[in-house]
Amino acid sequence: MTAPYIVTTQIRTTATFRTLAGALSNTTAVCSVKAPDGTLTTPSVTNDSTGVYHADITLDQAGTWYIEWQGTVTVIAAGDAAISVRASYVDG
């Protein structure tokens, strides 16, 4: 089992977009992040290569964070994830 992240950790979230035929495809990619206090942000997204994107997020609060990727244009897709963040390694 992977240990949860701790506050102040910076993570990189990635997304890969493909056409229905399975080919990698560029899109207008948007990453949305919801912090434990309900704050919504859209971090800057980098296109690493065809169809592959990343965004860096600094986890500055303990609790559950939600990350969602959406793409449009040639590909319409969405995906999401939740991660757990602790105040420190010894708090739980």
Side-chain angles (χ1 to χ4, degrees):
M1 180 171 118
T2 304
Y5 297 99
I6 61 166
V7 171
T8 72
T9 301
Q10 185 176 51
I11 64 166
R12 176 163 288 178
T13 178
T14 60
T16 302
F17 294 90
R18 298 179 180 274
T19 65
L20 289 176
L24 290 169
S25 180
N26 282 338
T27 188
T28 302
V30 176
C31 179
S32 299
V33 179
K34 183 176 179 182
D37 69 358
T39 303
L40 297 172
T41 58
T42 53
S44 182
V45 171
T46 301
N47 181 205
D48 297 314
S49 60
T50 301
V52 180
Y53 298 83
H54 82 262
D56 294 327
I57 303 164
T58 300
L59 306 171
D60 58 2
Q61 299 173 32
T64 302
W65 289 70
Y66 297 94
I67 302 167
E68 178 182 77
W69 281 93
Q70 293 184 342
T72 59
V73 183
T74 57
V75 179
I76 299 174
D80 60 11
I83 59 172
S84 176
V85 178
R86 290 185 178 172
S88 70
Y89 283 119
V90 295
D91 74 349

